Amino acid sequence: MKRFWIVATVLFSCAAAIALTTRAENTSIKGDYVEVRTASVFAGACHFNGEVTTAGREAIMAWNFTSGSWSGTNLAGLHAIAVVSADENLANAGERRRSEIILDASATHDQKVALLNALKSRYAAALGEIVSVRSAPITFKHEGKSYEVASAEAAINVEAMPNDLCCKMPNLVWYDPLVPLTQRKVGYTIKAGYAGHLIADPWQKADENSAFYGGFSF
């Protein structure tokens, strides 16, 4: 019996050490996030109903990591983009989504691995089946309430809605962001588009309330 308790104590100590190590390796990951959908996320009911079955099947998601590490690898200052597509509105597509992930070309090999693993771990449902992962230069500019993101085949230019109208009329916000956000706001898409062919046909959206932005953390 005494031997059993000794073994049990050792196993518990090992499990606790592993848990502490895991928490230490993945620390305080935070940053800025913006996404653009191919349907208005803030609109009148008639406009929403006119789009819900025929639009909203694509999105561009973009992350700017400002702090934190994953598996002991620092991610601060790096960016990532996911282009997501489905055969129906993303709000209804669930796990039938497909995605193409673009990792910051300025990242080291270890950082790219950590970036990808972090996104897969935290946002698997939003990304669905990951069809492609590649590396390319990414610019992510966040100034005040404006966001400009650009990379090969994907670009976003978003500004805040005037007077935070989405907060004053929340009943006209029809979707949720694809990832949990702090201080979630609806953005006005000046222009956004996808020029690739891998997971969807090329598309462009402009001059509509089709974006979400805010802070992410995990």
Side-chain angles (χ1 to χ4, degrees):
M1 187 69 175
K2 183 177 180 181
R3 183 180 179 183
F4 169 79
W5 284 113
I6 292 173
V7 172
T9 301
V10 171
L11 290 175
F12 176 80
S13 299
C14 290
I18 291 171
L20 288 172
T21 301
T22 301
R23 285 196 291 270
E25 288 179 344
N26 304 330
T27 60
S28 302
I29 294 178
K30 298 179 181 179
D32 306 312
Y33 173 87
V34 60
E35 75 179 51
V36 171
R37 311 274 273 268
T38 54
S40 297
V41 302
F42 178 89
C46 292
H47 186 92
F48 162 72
N49 285 317
E51 287 188 331
V52 68
T53 58
T54 59
R57 301 177 182 183
E58 300 85 17
I60 299 174
M61 310 162 66
W63 295 264
N64 173 41
F65 290 77
T66 58
S67 67
S69 63
W70 186 268
S71 297
T73 301
N74 184 27
L75 301 182
L78 300 180
H79 317 303
I81 293 173
V83 183
V84 186
S85 179
D87 295 329
E88 57 185 302
N89 192 294
L90 290 173
N92 304 321
E95 296 181 357
R96 297 183 299 278
R97 298 170 181 167
R98 303 176 298 276
S99 64
E100 173 185 352
I101 295 179
I102 305 171
L103 301 176
D104 199 332
S106 67
T108 65
H109 172 76
D110 288 347
Q111 287 177 320
K112 290 172 185 174
V113 171
L115 270 175
L116 179 60
N117 287 338
L119 295 177
K120 289 167 64 176
S121 174
R122 296 300 180 179
Y123 304 125
L127 297 172
E129 178 190 3
I130 299 175
V131 176
S132 172
V133 179
R134 59 190 177 87
S135 175
I138 299 173
T139 59
F140 191 118
K141 296 180 181 179
H142 173 202
E143 297 179 355
K145 296 182 179 180
S146 297
Y147 294 79
E148 289 187 39
V149 182
S151 184
E153 301 179 351
I156 291 174
N157 189 348
V158 166
E159 290 187 350
M161 292 184 62
N163 303 318
D164 283 336
L165 191 60
C166 60
C167 297
K168 299 176 181 179
M169 304 177 68
N171 56 307
L172 296 183
V173 180
W174 299 102
Y175 300 100
D176 292 318
L178 294 172
V179 305
L181 296 179
T182 57
Q183 299 182 330
R184 184 275 293 157
K185 295 291 181 69
V186 171
Y188 176 77
T189 301
I190 298 174
K191 188 175 182 180
Y194 170 65
H197 298 270
L198 186 60
I199 62 168
D201 293 331
W203 57 266
Q204 284 194 353
K205 303 295 288 186
D207 303 323
E208 61 184 16
N209 303 316
S210 60
F212 285 114
Y213 65 88
F216 75 90
S217 62
F218 54 82

